[in-house]
Amino acid sequence: MTFPSKVKIVEVGPRDGLQNEKETIPADIKIALINQLTAAGFANIEAASFVSPKWVPQMATSTEVMAGITRKQGVIYSALTPNMQGLTAALAANADEMVIFGSASEAFSQKNINCSIADSIERFRDVALAAKQAGKRLRGSISCAFGCPYQGEVSIPAVIDVLQRMRDLGCDEIDIADTIGVGTPNKVKTVMQALVQEFPIDRLSGHFHDTYGQALANIYASLDVGISIYHASVAGLGGCPYAKGATGNVATEDVLYLMQGLGIETGIDLDAVVEAGQFISQHLGRKGSSRAGNAIAAKRASV
Amino acid sequence: MTFPSKVKIVEVGPRDGLQNEKETIPADIKIALINQLTAAGFANIEAASFVSPKWVPQMATSTEVMAGITRKQGVIYSALTPNMQGLTAALAANADEMVIFGSASEAFSQKNINCSIADSIERFRDVALAAKQAGKRLRGSISCAFGCPYQGEVSIPAVIDVLQRMRDLGCDEIDIADTIGVGTPNKVKTVMQALVQEFPIDRLSGHFHDTYGQALANIYASLDVGISIYHASVAGLGGCPYAKGATGNVATEDVLYLMQGLGIETGIDLDAVVEAGQFISQHLGRKGSSRAGNAIAAKRASV
């Protein structure tokens, strides 16, 4: 057992989660959500994406959102920066961490951005350099690390290759993402064990989707490897674009319940996160997909 | 790693799952469901409960259901037998396995049946004897093994005490049930490791609820202890009476997806279970709560 005694939970609901919503969510709702999450104790919140509103209309309010939130000292507010234009906007908005991304699946890269994995990472060189020069943290996010909707299997050497490229661009933290949720725990362990040979274990994160219900088992398996950073989305915000109606991001409440049970410190107030989840679910007009969140809310309602 | 290479999945949807439904489900729907599950390859299906219809109206059709299903050689069709009257009916219906039950929580026992744990198990002595004399399998089910809605914590010695009583009544198999879904994996490991000292590991089963999203992580932890029998409910049938609107039984599809990923043999056809889950969910007029089931069905629909 190499279980960490403390983990960092990166709350990705405001960006990765809400980005998947069709209806435009007003900036003030996003601001209120991020403020609630800040108050709940998260040390890192993915708050914005400075991508062209032509491509992702939901993120058009990113500058407004970043300007409107009440920041807490020490909390990292991250933003996706797909290109130099995005980086310039993210710097202007004073994001604390810039996020670049790439796929470990060649088929996914070709299909989504019509270029090779290697080229897709190379395109981030200027962004990475400018981020570092501005004294910002740089995070790299590797999608399809455990499987791909187009090519199926993704090899460990392919994941390592992207990891090395991101490391060489100066990434401070790298996310290993199960974009379509097909990972299962022993596979996850094997991949993570290979990756910690290539990058410091305390700067590798697990980003798991609950599409097939495996996310918590995969997090438990990653904890056993010693991984101590996990992404999660309040109320399970964010569906799966590859299976309409299926679940996407693992729900933060479920992850916190797991960590509490394991005696692992997070610094986050689960009850406050349940509140935040109820707030955004109410705005979206539907029940959230966090099992722990729904159970805790139901118990509260019955008191 | 003591992971078993093969596990038995006990499908409890037709009884434990449907029992929680308010609307009466006609016998022919239950029969069709059980037949689909038999065809999918389950070796053990909890099919009926011979309890007074005054207490559980949903189970009033148990005799009709048991008479109507198409049995497959070697498959165990189990029935709950709360008393001698129930046992007589279960024998008349030719159930293969009789199930007796009790709680590991004194508060739960007092609150639910107004008697001590010890007395509640003692009351099953005649049932157990008659079942064995009739050459039937006997299964014991221990509820609240990881926590109780009334008293909170449940000690390991309390679980062991019930286990020993059930063992002494001649139980062939004993279920360790997380009735309210509060268990987390390291706790589950600790409890299971203690129990396998008291009862043969290959006849102990894990019955996990997904109320807080922990069930698959708990199953993964139990596999690591070497437990090789798990209960699961198609489409996640069965809610949680202690938190209205929360999730109950872990969904069979999610468990099968886990086992497939781990390379553990189940003998069950996941696609056929997804079909069965769609069938019963359609009858109930709602989406099932299996994440893997919903994802697989969504992918199918998009083809």
Side-chain angles (χ1 to χ4, degrees):
Chain A
M1 289 265 188
T2 48
F3 272 46
S5 59
K6 196 179 162 174
V7 295
K8 176 171 92 164
I9 306 293
V10 180
E11 172 55 54
V12 301
R15 200 288 303 174
D16 193 22
L18 293 183
Q19 181 165 322
N20 208 53
E21 291 295 325
K22 281 209 189 64
E23 294 226 356
T24 304
I25 295 143
D28 65 325
I29 296 288
K30 291 184 191 167
I31 291 166
L33 176 64
I34 294 169
N35 286 347
Q36 284 186 52
L37 295 167
T38 298
F42 289 93
N44 195 339
I45 300 173
E46 195 172 280
S49 175
F50 292 96
V51 60
S52 165
K54 251 197 309 190
W55 297 111
V56 188
Q58 191 63 268
M59 290 292 123
T61 54
S62 285
T63 294
E64 200 182 340
V65 168
M66 290 298 285
I69 57 174
T70 307
R71 300 197 189 197
K72 193 164 92 182
Q73 183 97 38
V75 174
I76 298 163
Y77 297 91
S78 314
L80 263 69
T81 50
N83 48 39
M84 278 307 286
Q85 207 176 342
L87 184 88
T88 307
L91 286 174
N94 199 22
D96 302 297
E97 179 178 73
M98 310 309 179
V99 183
I100 63 175
F101 43 87
S103 173
S105 154
E106 199 61 53
F108 192 87
S109 193
Q110 292 291 353
K111 187 117 178 173
N112 274 275
I113 48 174
N114 200 27
C115 84
S116 71
I117 297 173
D119 287 348
S120 78
I121 307 298
E122 190 51 38
R123 285 183 188 176
F124 281 116
R125 188 168 292 277
D126 292 347
V127 172
L129 204 69
K132 296 307 256 180
Q133 277 173 345
K136 298 295 184 180
R137 281 176 58 95
L138 182 68
R139 168 149 71 83
S141 198
I142 303 177
S143 64
C144 297
F146 303 95
C148 164
Y150 307 117
Q151 75 181 47
E153 290 293 315
V154 171
S155 75
I156 294 180
V159 185
I160 290 177
D161 181 70
V162 186
L163 184 83
Q164 288 170 336
R165 289 173 192 273
M166 287 185 170
R167 180 190 65 197
D168 295 347
L169 287 186
C171 283
D172 299 293
E173 197 167 306
I174 297 181
D175 318 325
I176 313 304
D178 187 7
T179 309
I180 53 170
V182 293
T184 44
N186 286 353
K187 168 82 183 286
V188 165
K189 260 192 185 169
T190 306
V191 173
M192 290 300 197
Q193 274 158 349
L195 300 182
V196 299
Q197 308 305 317
E198 303 291 331
F199 196 75
I201 191 166
D202 59 338
R203 299 199 274 124
L204 266 183
S205 82
H207 176 116
F208 294 106
H209 278 218
D210 212 17
T211 320
Y212 296 88
Q214 311 296 308
L216 251 60
N218 290 339
I219 290 175
Y220 183 66
S222 303
L223 284 168
D224 202 24
V225 175
I227 302 292
S228 63
I229 310 174
Y230 296 95
H231 290 198
S233 178
V234 60
L237 288 174
C240 176
Y242 307 99
K244 209 171 132 69
T247 324
N249 287 304
V250 67
T252 311
E253 299 91 323
D254 297 9
V255 176
L256 293 175
Y257 194 93
L258 174 69
M259 297 302 170
Q260 274 190 3
L262 297 174
I264 294 174
E265 201 188 315
T266 64
I268 299 159
D269 177 353
L270 172 54
D271 283 319
V273 179
V274 172
E275 292 274 352
Q278 294 290 105
F279 163 76
I280 190 67
S281 297
Q282 203 162 2
H283 176 81
L284 295 171
R286 62 164 190 261
K287 194 173 164 182
S289 75
S290 166
R291 303 198 159 190
N294 291 338
I296 292 166
K299 281 188 71 174
R300 263 188 212 160
S302 71
V303 172
Chain B
M1 289 265 184
T2 48
F3 273 45
S5 60
K6 194 178 162 172
V7 296
K8 176 172 92 163
I9 306 294
V10 181
E11 171 57 53
V12 302
R15 199 290 302 174
D16 193 22
L18 292 182
Q19 180 164 322
N20 208 53
E21 292 295 324
K22 279 207 192 64
E23 295 226 355
T24 305
I25 295 142
D28 64 325
I29 296 289
K30 292 183 190 167
I31 291 166
L33 176 64
I34 294 170
N35 287 347
Q36 283 186 52
L37 295 167
T38 298
F42 290 93
N44 194 341
I45 300 173
E46 196 172 279
S49 174
F50 292 95
V51 60
S52 164
K54 252 198 310 192
W55 297 112
V56 188
Q58 191 64 266
M59 290 293 123
T61 52
S62 286
T63 294
E64 199 182 337
V65 168
M66 290 297 285
I69 57 175
T70 306
R71 299 196 189 196
K72 193 164 90 184
Q73 183 96 38
V75 174
I76 299 163
Y77 298 90
S78 313
L80 263 69
T81 51
N83 47 40
M84 279 306 286
Q85 208 176 339
L87 184 87
T88 307
L91 287 174
N94 199 22
D96 302 298
E97 180 180 70
M98 310 308 179
V99 183
I100 63 175
F101 42 88
S103 173
S105 154
E106 200 60 52
F108 192 88
S109 192
Q110 291 291 351
K111 187 118 178 173
N112 275 274
I113 49 174
N114 200 28
C115 84
S116 70
I117 297 172
D119 286 350
S120 77
I121 307 297
E122 191 51 37
R123 287 183 186 175
F124 281 115
R125 188 167 293 276
D126 292 348
V127 172
L129 204 67
K132 297 306 257 181
Q133 277 173 343
K136 299 294 185 181
R137 281 176 57 95
L138 182 68
R139 168 149 73 83
S141 197
I142 303 177
S143 65
C144 297
F146 303 95
C148 164
Y150 307 116
Q151 75 180 46
E153 290 293 315
V154 170
S155 74
I156 294 179
V159 185
I160 289 177
D161 181 71
V162 186
L163 183 83
Q164 288 170 336
R165 289 174 192 273
M166 287 184 170
R167 181 190 63 197
D168 295 347
L169 287 186
C171 283
D172 298 294
E173 196 168 306
I174 297 181
D175 318 325
I176 312 305
D178 187 8
T179 310
I180 54 171
V182 295
T184 44
N186 286 355
K187 168 82 184 287
V188 165
K189 259 192 185 169
T190 305
V191 174
M192 290 301 197
Q193 274 158 348
L195 300 183
V196 298
Q197 309 303 316
E198 302 291 331
F199 196 76
I201 192 167
D202 59 338
R203 300 198 274 124
L204 267 183
S205 81
H207 176 116
F208 294 106
H209 278 218
D210 211 18
T211 320
Y212 296 88
Q214 312 296 308
L216 251 59
N218 291 339
I219 290 175
Y220 182 66
S222 303
L223 284 169
D224 201 23
V225 176
I227 302 292
S228 63
I229 310 174
Y230 297 95
H231 290 198
S233 178
V234 60
L237 287 174
C240 176
Y242 307 99
K244 209 173 132 68
T247 324
N249 287 304
V250 66
T252 310
E253 299 90 323
D254 298 9
V255 176
L256 292 176
Y257 195 93
L258 174 69
M259 297 302 169
Q260 273 190 3
L262 297 174
I264 294 173
E265 201 188 317
T266 64
I268 299 159
D269 176 355
L270 172 54
D271 284 319
V273 179
V274 172
E275 292 273 352
Q278 294 290 106
F279 163 77
I280 190 68
S281 297
Q282 203 163 2
H283 177 81
L284 296 170
R286 62 164 190 262
K287 195 174 165 180
S289 75
S290 166
R291 302 195 161 193
N294 291 339
I296 292 166
K299 281 188 69 175
R300 261 189 215 161
S302 72
V303 172

